[in-house]
Amino acid sequence: MNDVLKARLVESLLSNRLVIFTGAGLSMTPPSAVPSAADLTQRCVQAYVQESLPLPIPAEALDNLEKLTEFLFANGFQKDFIRRFMDWRPFRSNPNRAHLAVADFLTCGAAHSSITANYDNLVEKRGWEICEEF
């Protein structure tokens, strides 16, 4: 890390302006092992096919989670998606060391906030373990 970047980081910390941005990679690391969007799409497609539901999945939805959920919800399969096709356990269990680091930065006040593209609550789970008022 160069000196300019270090100085900016320290200034952000001292002025309570540090924001942590995270994405899917944070939760894919063991022991969390939250599936990627591509893996999640394939699992949902397989579950749909195993149920022998009447409508064929459009080709563009076979490898695109957003398109797949749009198809499922538009055709009345939202409860199936939420209750039967999705395995929610990885999204709610086994936070990893990265989740702990983000939670630690938030609970001690080193970071102002964290913004994530993730759907899990693993940073929050670690935060509650560190500090009841998280």
Short mmCIF file of all heavy atoms in Angstrom, two decimals, residues 13 16 18 20 22 26 95-114 122-131 134:
data_model
loop_
_atom_site.label_atom_id
_atom_site.label_comp_id
_atom_site.label_asym_id
_atom_site.label_seq_id
_atom_site.Cartn_x
_atom_site.Cartn_y
_atom_site.Cartn_z
N LEU A 13 -10.35 7.07 8.84
CA LEU A 13 -10.59 6.51 10.18
C LEU A 13 -10.78 7.61 11.22
O LEU A 13 -11.72 7.59 12.01
CB LEU A 13 -9.42 5.61 10.60
CG LEU A 13 -9.32 4.26 9.93
CD1 LEU A 13 -7.94 3.65 10.14
CD2 LEU A 13 -10.39 3.33 10.46
N ASN A 16 -14.03 9.59 10.93
CA ASN A 16 -15.24 8.76 10.95
C ASN A 16 -15.95 8.76 9.60
O ASN A 16 -17.16 8.90 9.51
CB ASN A 16 -16.20 9.22 12.06
CG ASN A 16 -17.28 8.20 12.33
OD1 ASN A 16 -17.08 7.01 12.15
ND2 ASN A 16 -18.44 8.66 12.76
N LEU A 18 -14.82 6.31 7.13
CA LEU A 18 -14.45 5.06 6.47
C LEU A 18 -15.70 4.21 6.24
O LEU A 18 -16.47 3.93 7.16
CB LEU A 18 -13.45 4.26 7.31
CG LEU A 18 -12.99 2.94 6.69
CD1 LEU A 18 -12.21 3.17 5.41
CD2 LEU A 18 -12.16 2.14 7.68
N ILE A 20 -16.87 0.58 4.40
CA ILE A 20 -16.38 -0.69 3.87
C ILE A 20 -17.37 -1.21 2.85
O ILE A 20 -18.57 -1.34 3.14
CB ILE A 20 -16.19 -1.71 5.00
CG1 ILE A 20 -15.20 -1.19 6.05
CG2 ILE A 20 -15.74 -3.06 4.44
CD1 ILE A 20 -15.14 -2.02 7.30
N THR A 22 -18.35 -4.41 0.47
CA THR A 22 -18.08 -5.84 0.30
C THR A 22 -19.01 -6.43 -0.75
O THR A 22 -20.07 -5.88 -1.04
CB THR A 22 -18.26 -6.62 1.62
OG1 THR A 22 -19.62 -6.50 2.05
CG2 THR A 22 -17.34 -6.09 2.71
N LEU A 26 -16.74 -12.06 -0.07
CA LEU A 26 -16.62 -12.05 1.39
C LEU A 26 -17.27 -13.28 2.01
O LEU A 26 -16.72 -13.88 2.93
CB LEU A 26 -17.25 -10.78 1.96
CG LEU A 26 -17.10 -10.59 3.46
CD1 LEU A 26 -15.70 -10.07 3.77
CD2 LEU A 26 -18.15 -9.64 3.99
N PRO A 95 -20.27 -17.60 9.93
CA PRO A 95 -19.50 -16.43 9.49
C PRO A 95 -18.00 -16.75 9.49
O PRO A 95 -17.54 -17.58 10.27
CB PRO A 95 -19.82 -15.35 10.52
CG PRO A 95 -20.79 -15.93 11.48
CD PRO A 95 -21.00 -17.36 11.16
N ASN A 96 -17.27 -16.12 8.61
CA ASN A 96 -15.83 -16.37 8.51
C ASN A 96 -15.04 -15.21 9.13
O ASN A 96 -15.62 -14.28 9.69
CB ASN A 96 -15.43 -16.64 7.05
CG ASN A 96 -15.71 -15.47 6.14
OD1 ASN A 96 -15.50 -14.31 6.49
ND2 ASN A 96 -16.22 -15.75 4.95
N ARG A 97 -13.72 -15.27 9.01
CA ARG A 97 -12.87 -14.24 9.62
C ARG A 97 -13.07 -12.87 8.98
O ARG A 97 -12.92 -11.84 9.64
CB ARG A 97 -11.40 -14.67 9.53
CG ARG A 97 -11.12 -15.84 10.43
CD ARG A 97 -9.70 -16.30 10.47
NE ARG A 97 -8.81 -15.69 9.50
CZ ARG A 97 -7.71 -16.25 9.06
NH1 ARG A 97 -7.33 -17.42 9.51
NH2 ARG A 97 -6.94 -15.64 8.19
N ALA A 98 -13.41 -12.83 7.72
CA ALA A 98 -13.66 -11.54 7.06
C ALA A 98 -14.90 -10.87 7.64
O ALA A 98 -14.93 -9.65 7.84
CB ALA A 98 -13.80 -11.73 5.56
N HIS A 99 -15.95 -11.65 7.92
CA HIS A 99 -17.14 -11.10 8.56
C HIS A 99 -16.78 -10.53 9.93
O HIS A 99 -17.26 -9.46 10.31
CB HIS A 99 -18.22 -12.18 8.73
CG HIS A 99 -18.73 -12.72 7.44
ND1 HIS A 99 -18.53 -14.03 7.06
CD2 HIS A 99 -19.41 -12.14 6.42
CE1 HIS A 99 -19.08 -14.23 5.88
NE2 HIS A 99 -19.61 -13.09 5.46
N LEU A 100 -15.92 -11.25 10.66
CA LEU A 100 -15.48 -10.77 11.97
C LEU A 100 -14.72 -9.45 11.84
O LEU A 100 -14.94 -8.52 12.62
CB LEU A 100 -14.60 -11.82 12.65
CG LEU A 100 -13.97 -11.41 13.98
CD1 LEU A 100 -15.03 -11.07 15.00
CD2 LEU A 100 -13.06 -12.52 14.49
N ALA A 101 -13.87 -9.34 10.84
CA ALA A 101 -13.09 -8.11 10.65
C ALA A 101 -14.00 -6.92 10.36
O ALA A 101 -13.83 -5.85 10.95
CB ALA A 101 -12.08 -8.30 9.51
N VAL A 102 -14.97 -7.10 9.49
CA VAL A 102 -15.89 -6.00 9.17
C VAL A 102 -16.70 -5.65 10.41
O VAL A 102 -16.84 -4.47 10.76
CB VAL A 102 -16.82 -6.36 7.99
CG1 VAL A 102 -17.88 -5.29 7.77
CG2 VAL A 102 -16.00 -6.57 6.71
N ALA A 103 -17.21 -6.66 11.11
CA ALA A 103 -17.99 -6.41 12.33
C ALA A 103 -17.14 -5.71 13.38
O ALA A 103 -17.62 -4.80 14.08
CB ALA A 103 -18.54 -7.72 12.88
N ASP A 104 -15.90 -6.10 13.50
CA ASP A 104 -14.99 -5.47 14.46
C ASP A 104 -14.78 -3.99 14.12
O ASP A 104 -14.85 -3.13 15.00
CB ASP A 104 -13.67 -6.22 14.49
CG ASP A 104 -12.75 -5.76 15.60
OD1 ASP A 104 -13.25 -5.38 16.68
OD2 ASP A 104 -11.53 -5.78 15.39
N PHE A 105 -14.55 -3.68 12.86
CA PHE A 105 -14.40 -2.29 12.43
C PHE A 105 -15.66 -1.47 12.75
O PHE A 105 -15.57 -0.33 13.17
CB PHE A 105 -14.12 -2.21 10.93
CG PHE A 105 -12.66 -2.16 10.58
CD1 PHE A 105 -11.82 -3.22 10.86
CD2 PHE A 105 -12.12 -1.04 9.97
CE1 PHE A 105 -10.49 -3.19 10.53
CE2 PHE A 105 -10.79 -0.98 9.65
CZ PHE A 105 -9.95 -2.06 9.93
N LEU A 106 -16.82 -2.09 12.57
CA LEU A 106 -18.08 -1.38 12.82
C LEU A 106 -18.35 -1.20 14.32
O LEU A 106 -18.74 -0.12 14.75
CB LEU A 106 -19.25 -2.11 12.16
CG LEU A 106 -19.25 -2.09 10.63
CD1 LEU A 106 -20.26 -3.09 10.09
CD2 LEU A 106 -19.52 -0.70 10.10
N THR A 107 -18.13 -2.25 15.09
CA THR A 107 -18.46 -2.16 16.52
C THR A 107 -17.49 -1.27 17.29
O THR A 107 -17.90 -0.64 18.27
CB THR A 107 -18.50 -3.56 17.19
OG1 THR A 107 -17.24 -4.21 17.00
CG2 THR A 107 -19.63 -4.39 16.61
N CYS A 108 -16.24 -1.19 16.86
CA CYS A 108 -15.29 -0.34 17.59
C CYS A 108 -15.30 1.09 17.07
O CYS A 108 -14.64 1.96 17.61
CB CYS A 108 -13.88 -0.92 17.53
SG CYS A 108 -13.01 -0.67 15.98
N GLY A 109 -16.06 1.35 16.00
CA GLY A 109 -16.17 2.69 15.47
C GLY A 109 -15.09 3.06 14.47
O GLY A 109 -15.01 4.21 14.05
N ALA A 110 -14.26 2.11 14.08
CA ALA A 110 -13.22 2.40 13.08
C ALA A 110 -13.83 2.68 11.72
O ALA A 110 -13.29 3.45 10.94
CB ALA A 110 -12.23 1.24 12.98
N ALA A 111 -14.96 2.04 11.44
CA ALA A 111 -15.67 2.28 10.17
C ALA A 111 -17.02 2.92 10.48
O ALA A 111 -17.69 2.55 11.45
CB ALA A 111 -15.88 0.98 9.41
N HIS A 112 -17.38 3.87 9.65
CA HIS A 112 -18.67 4.55 9.79
C HIS A 112 -19.81 3.60 9.43
O HIS A 112 -20.84 3.53 10.09
CB HIS A 112 -18.71 5.79 8.90
CG HIS A 112 -20.01 6.51 8.93
ND1 HIS A 112 -21.04 6.21 8.07
CD2 HIS A 112 -20.46 7.50 9.74
CE1 HIS A 112 -22.06 6.99 8.34
NE2 HIS A 112 -21.74 7.79 9.34
N SER A 113 -19.61 2.84 8.34
CA SER A 113 -20.65 1.93 7.88
C SER A 113 -20.05 0.92 6.91
O SER A 113 -18.90 1.02 6.51
CB SER A 113 -21.79 2.69 7.21
OG SER A 113 -21.30 3.51 6.18
N SER A 114 -20.88 -0.04 6.56
CA SER A 114 -20.49 -1.06 5.59
C SER A 114 -21.63 -1.22 4.59
O SER A 114 -22.80 -1.27 4.98
CB SER A 114 -20.22 -2.39 6.31
OG SER A 114 -19.97 -3.41 5.38
N LEU A 122 -24.26 -12.40 7.81
CA LEU A 122 -23.13 -12.95 8.55
C LEU A 122 -22.27 -11.89 9.23
O LEU A 122 -21.73 -12.14 10.31
CB LEU A 122 -22.29 -13.85 7.62
CG LEU A 122 -23.09 -15.04 7.05
CD1 LEU A 122 -22.24 -15.85 6.09
CD2 LEU A 122 -23.65 -15.91 8.16
N VAL A 123 -22.16 -10.70 8.66
CA VAL A 123 -21.47 -9.61 9.36
C VAL A 123 -22.27 -9.24 10.61
O VAL A 123 -21.70 -9.08 11.69
CB VAL A 123 -21.27 -8.38 8.45
CG1 VAL A 123 -20.82 -7.17 9.26
CG2 VAL A 123 -20.25 -8.69 7.35
N GLU A 124 -23.57 -9.14 10.46
CA GLU A 124 -24.41 -8.81 11.60
C GLU A 124 -24.31 -9.87 12.68
O GLU A 124 -24.24 -9.57 13.87
CB GLU A 124 -25.88 -8.65 11.16
CG GLU A 124 -26.13 -7.42 10.33
CD GLU A 124 -25.90 -7.63 8.83
OE1 GLU A 124 -25.27 -8.64 8.44
OE2 GLU A 124 -26.35 -6.78 8.05
N LYS A 125 -24.29 -11.13 12.28
CA LYS A 125 -24.18 -12.23 13.25
C LYS A 125 -22.90 -12.08 14.06
O LYS A 125 -22.91 -12.20 15.28
CB LYS A 125 -24.22 -13.57 12.53
CG LYS A 125 -24.23 -14.76 13.45
CD LYS A 125 -24.46 -16.05 12.73
CE LYS A 125 -24.52 -17.18 13.74
NZ LYS A 125 -24.97 -18.42 13.17
N ARG A 126 -21.80 -11.80 13.37
CA ARG A 126 -20.53 -11.57 14.08
C ARG A 126 -20.60 -10.32 14.95
O ARG A 126 -20.09 -10.31 16.06
CB ARG A 126 -19.37 -11.44 13.10
CG ARG A 126 -18.86 -12.74 12.60
CD ARG A 126 -18.19 -13.51 13.71
NE ARG A 126 -17.40 -14.55 13.12
CZ ARG A 126 -17.10 -15.68 13.73
NH1 ARG A 126 -17.50 -15.90 14.96
NH2 ARG A 126 -16.39 -16.58 13.12
N GLY A 127 -21.25 -9.29 14.46
CA GLY A 127 -21.39 -8.06 15.23
C GLY A 127 -22.14 -8.28 16.53
O GLY A 127 -21.76 -7.77 17.58
N TRP A 128 -23.22 -9.08 16.48
CA TRP A 128 -23.99 -9.36 17.69
C TRP A 128 -23.17 -10.19 18.68
O TRP A 128 -23.36 -10.08 19.88
CB TRP A 128 -25.29 -10.07 17.34
CG TRP A 128 -26.25 -9.21 16.57
CD1 TRP A 128 -26.54 -7.89 16.79
CD2 TRP A 128 -27.02 -9.59 15.44
NE1 TRP A 128 -27.44 -7.43 15.85
CE2 TRP A 128 -27.76 -8.46 15.02
CE3 TRP A 128 -27.16 -10.78 14.74
CZ2 TRP A 128 -28.63 -8.49 13.94
CZ3 TRP A 128 -28.03 -10.81 13.66
CH2 TRP A 128 -28.74 -9.67 13.26
N GLU A 129 -22.27 -11.04 18.15
CA GLU A 129 -21.40 -11.81 19.04
C GLU A 129 -20.40 -10.91 19.77
O GLU A 129 -20.06 -11.17 20.91
CB GLU A 129 -20.64 -12.88 18.24
CG GLU A 129 -21.54 -13.98 17.70
CD GLU A 129 -20.82 -14.88 16.71
OE1 GLU A 129 -19.61 -14.70 16.46
OE2 GLU A 129 -21.48 -15.79 16.16
N ILE A 130 -19.96 -9.85 19.09
CA ILE A 130 -18.98 -8.93 19.67
C ILE A 130 -19.66 -7.95 20.61
O ILE A 130 -19.16 -7.63 21.69
CB ILE A 130 -18.25 -8.14 18.55
CG1 ILE A 130 -17.43 -9.07 17.68
CG2 ILE A 130 -17.38 -7.04 19.15
CD1 ILE A 130 -16.88 -8.39 16.44
N CYS A 131 -20.81 -7.43 20.20
CA CYS A 131 -21.44 -6.32 20.92
C CYS A 131 -22.96 -6.48 20.84
O CYS A 131 -23.51 -6.49 19.75
CB CYS A 131 -21.00 -4.99 20.29
SG CYS A 131 -21.76 -3.55 20.99
N PHE A 134 -25.11 -4.04 18.60
CA PHE A 134 -24.73 -3.91 17.19
C PHE A 134 -25.92 -3.61 16.34
O PHE A 134 -26.96 -4.10 16.42
CB PHE A 134 -24.03 -5.19 16.72
CG PHE A 134 -23.54 -5.12 15.30
CD1 PHE A 134 -22.45 -4.34 14.97
CD2 PHE A 134 -24.16 -5.82 14.31
CE1 PHE A 134 -21.99 -4.28 13.67
CE2 PHE A 134 -23.70 -5.77 13.00
CZ PHE A 134 -22.61 -4.99 12.69
#
